[in-house]
Amino acid sequence: MAQGIRDRVAIVGMGCTRFGELWDKGPEDLLVEAVTEALADAGIGPEKVDAYWLGTLSSGNSGLTLSVPLKTRYKPVTRVENFCATGSEAFRNAAYAVAAGVYDVVVAVGVEKLKDSGYSGLVANLDAADRTGPNLTAPAAFALLAPAYFAKYGLDPRHGKEVLARIAWKNHKNGALNPRAQYQKEVPMDVILKAPMVAEPLGVYDCSGVADGAAAAVIVRAEDARRFRPDPVYVKAMAVAAGPGHGGLHQDYDFTTIRENVHAAQEAYRQAGITDPRRQLDLAEVHDCFTPTELILYEDLGFSERGKGWQDALSGVFDLGGELPVNPDGGLKSFGHPVGASGLRMMYEVYLQLQGRAGERQIPGARLGLTHNLGGLPWQSVAFVSILGREPGAP
């Protein structure tokens, strides 16, 4: 059984660009901005970095994407990709390299430049090689979760739509407190409910924004961390689950769960020693690509009992001042979703919260946070879960 790297590495610096429609910047500008901020936050110069890991889905094809704009002086750069979990994958591989003793100081960075690339969230590009798979857009694929959940747990479609709108309302309310978010404005419930339809029952406000952006982290061994700063953030657990496509092959898949989420969460909780995530975690950043995804994540990640997540959403359990705040920075819904950067952006928010530097959206006394990053479609995906903590030792 995998042992994990609990408390063996720590984050000592992070940077994140503003996300949004950044027409005047290319991926090279975004990479330089995020990495420069992360190094300054760690109090070091680029000469101290031993190696880099770069995550991007479509904004570059090799380590040269990073080494040329940053002038990294022949240091190793590894480019990784894992659908929308790409940023988390860059972090995971970089952290393992430090834990293995190969390097002392590494940087993980994720970037995506989408807005002038021709990319659209309404492109269907995951068809099977033999042309027998469903050729759905991402909104259409994730929209299938909503009616399945409503039917299984007895919500009429109108009530279910209000639950989804409540999730969008929460994330826009949080994003209004975030100066780096793509959308920094609260949106009233009636506006969300009346928004133009994208894929029934998902309206415009049920869908995350396509955005440009980058985020970066400086990672060192845990025993070295306080040489860099007095408040490092420790990696308690990391787990990735890549599914076998079960949901697309078997009639028993009912679209009210994403199995990869459950497997990744259970493994991360085991590594970190978490037995009651709702009580032990202080915040969670989850992959709310669409509102029904966040709804089922409440249950897949063990925050709510099966069939009770919608009630918890309506009662404010996951609000910024609730029992377990989810997406305090606005999530993908409000912060935006530059694919390769999103996983590291989630860690950036947890990092700030654990250090007490999250400004108006600060969660008092936060000491343990979760990030969840998802790539693919409900019936076949890759899921990543990390647990980050303020203190070494017990979770």
Side-chain angles (χ1 to χ4, degrees):
M1 181 178 293
Q3 298 303 307
I5 59 169
R6 178 175 168 178
D7 292 330
R8 291 169 58 184
V9 303
I11 307 170
V12 295
M14 290 205 75
C16 183
T17 69
R18 187 174 73 82
F19 284 9
E21 299 184 359
L22 308 179
W23 304 105
D24 60 340
K25 295 182 179 180
E28 62 277 6
D29 302 303
L30 299 169
L31 285 167
V32 169
E33 183 178 336
V35 173
T36 299
E37 182 186 353
L39 294 177
D41 189 48
I44 62 173
E47 73 281 357
K48 298 293 186 182
V49 179
D50 297 321
Y52 295 82
W53 270 259
L54 166 67
T56 185
L57 178 70
S58 60
S59 296
N61 294 317
S62 74
L64 293 172
T65 304
L66 185 144
S67 67
V68 171
L70 268 76
K71 303 294 184 288
T72 52
R73 297 178 180 268
Y74 306 100
K75 292 181 178 179
V77 180
T78 304
R79 184 247 177 174
V80 301
E81 182 277 321
N82 213 353
F83 279 161
C84 294
T86 292
S88 298
E89 194 63 44
F91 182 89
R92 187 174 74 103
N93 282 269
Y96 283 160
V98 173
V102 179
Y103 300 113
D104 296 330
V105 181
V106 304
V107 169
V109 55
V111 68
E112 215 68 62
K113 177 62 183 170
L114 297 174
K115 293 307 295 186
D116 48 6
S117 67
Y119 178 87
S120 165
L122 296 178
V123 173
N125 56 8
L126 294 174
D127 193 15
D130 61 1
R131 312 294 295 178
T132 59
N135 195 22
L136 301 178
T137 66
F142 282 89
L144 296 171
L145 300 173
Y149 186 95
F150 301 162
K152 184 170 183 176
Y153 298 116
L155 282 75
D156 67 66
R158 182 173 180 177
H159 194 193
K161 178 71 175 174
E162 290 172 352
V163 173
L164 301 183
R166 181 61 170 72
I167 293 170
W169 174 85
K170 169 184 70 72
N171 288 343
H172 276 285
K173 184 177 177 64
N174 293 348
L177 302 176
N178 187 346
R180 302 197 185 195
Q182 182 176 18
Y183 304 114
Q184 301 174 26
K185 184 179 180 181
E186 295 188 36
V187 182
M189 283 285 290
D190 64 324
V191 173
I192 296 172
L193 288 166
K194 295 176 182 176
M197 197 63 67
V198 175
E200 174 73 27
L202 306 186
V204 169
Y205 289 102
D206 291 296
C207 309
S208 61
V210 174
D212 309 323
V218 180
I219 306 164
V220 303
R221 286 190 294 270
E223 60 265 35
D224 298 334
R226 291 189 184 278
R227 288 169 37 200
F228 293 84
R229 64 182 310 128
D231 54 355
V233 168
Y234 298 89
V235 176
K236 301 290 182 181
M238 294 187 296
V240 168
H246 177 96
L249 299 173
H250 298 275
Q251 293 292 333
D252 65 348
Y253 179 59
D254 68 359
F255 286 86
T256 63
T257 182
I258 295 175
R259 295 181 182 213
E260 290 82 354
N261 294 335
V262 178
H263 283 275
Q266 290 178 346
E267 172 59 19
Y269 294 155
R270 185 191 65 79
Q271 292 177 19
I274 290 177
T275 55
D276 187 348
R278 179 158 165 169
R279 303 287 182 273
Q280 290 176 272
L281 294 170
D282 296 299
L283 74 148
E285 285 286 328
V286 307
H287 196 93
D288 59 318
C289 49
F290 303 95
T291 50
T293 318
E294 180 166 325
L295 175 60
I296 70 161
L297 276 166
Y298 297 151
E299 301 175 12
D300 282 353
L301 298 178
F303 302 163
S304 298
E305 295 179 22
R306 287 287 172 194
K308 303 293 186 182
W310 67 273
Q311 296 174 356
D312 290 337
L314 290 178
S315 64
V317 168
F318 306 115
D319 290 0
L320 187 56
E323 182 180 345
L324 174 56
V326 171
N327 291 332
D329 66 355
L332 278 68
K333 179 71 205 68
S334 187
F335 207 138
H337 184 26
V339 177
S342 287
L344 277 153
R345 184 273 301 161
M346 298 172 180
M347 293 181 180
Y348 177 70
E349 176 66 9
V350 174
Y351 175 79
L352 293 179
Q353 290 282 354
L354 298 185
Q355 293 174 333
R357 298 197 291 157
E360 293 183 85
R361 59 185 189 281
Q362 179 64 47
I363 298 163
R367 51 179 292 278
L368 200 64
L370 173 148
T371 73
H372 162 271
N373 203 187
L374 181 68
L377 298 169
W379 54 89
Q380 56 180 21
S381 63
V382 291
F384 170 91
V385 172
S386 79
I387 309 293
L388 304 178
R390 191 173 67 188
E391 304 154 359

